[in-house]
Amino acid sequence: MMPFQPLDRDQPDVIMMCRNCQAEWLIYEQQIGLSMPCPACHSVVHPQYQGRTKGEGHGCQLSFSTFKRLLNTPDTSAEFIRLVEHLLDLRHEGGLCFVNVSGHEVEAEEAHYRIQSQEASQGAMYNRAMNIIR
Ligand SMILES: [Zn+2]
């Protein structure tokens, strides 16, 4: 899978804590909801959210947990999924699975990272999400 390539304007400001060794480290807003290895003890667990270094008020980033939730929200998911398909030229295969024009599977995590690595698509997704959540 493609590594996450965040925009320059996005900085890791979300504090997470390892449930195993209590080490704290910073992640990007977009990575909230992903399980990831602890940099200290390397156990792969869902880290625990501790807050933000700069308080609220971030840019147009969308957490992975919100992305996942919007893909699965009845009534609004169809509209949200169409946007993802349009932004990345993908087709939704149900659940968290998309395929590209060659028929290769693209996981939701990768789709999310791709959208979040481009300013225009990140903004489009943020606006759509805010319209749905509101
Ligand atoms: Zn740890």
Side-chain angles (χ1 to χ4, degrees):
M1 189 172 73
M2 181 186 91
F4 181 38
Q5 292 165 321
L7 297 168
D8 287 342
R9 69 179 183 195
D10 296 336
Q11 295 299 317
D13 66 343
V14 177
I15 307 161
M16 290 303 215
M17 188 182 74
C18 175
R19 294 176 195 274
N20 185 43
C21 74
Q22 279 73 53
E24 288 187 346
W25 73 99
L26 295 176
I27 65 166
Y28 290 87
E29 173 85 19
Q30 292 93 319
Q31 296 174 304
I32 296 177
L34 293 167
S35 51
M36 59 188 76
C38 167
C41 72
H42 308 292
S43 65
V44 180
V45 285
H46 265 288
Q48 196 171 7
Y49 176 79
Q50 299 291 298
R52 288 187 165 79
T53 56
K54 293 176 288 192
E56 291 303 315
H58 48 89
C60 296
Q61 305 163 73
L62 202 69
S63 71
F64 183 68
S65 53
T66 303
F67 179 77
K68 207 165 62 173
R69 182 159 54 84
L70 290 172
L71 289 178
N72 291 314
T73 305
D75 305 330
T76 52
S77 63
E79 191 193 350
F80 191 75
I81 287 164
R82 273 199 302 276
L83 178 68
V84 177
E85 289 178 324
H86 168 72
L87 290 173
L88 299 176
D89 199 14
L90 298 175
R91 195 178 72 240
H92 186 233
E93 289 279 283
L96 295 176
C97 182
F98 292 87
V99 294
N100 64 17
V101 286
S102 321
H104 293 124
E105 187 182 324
V106 176
E107 291 172 23
E109 189 178 330
E110 171 143 8
H112 181 56
Y113 277 176
R114 282 195 203 167
I115 289 168
Q116 294 294 320
S117 65
Q118 290 178 355
E119 204 169 318
S121 55
Q122 187 193 61
M125 164 138 299
Y126 182 79
N127 290 336
R128 183 66 54 92
M130 289 305 113
N131 283 332
I132 292 170
I133 291 167
R134 217 184 275 129

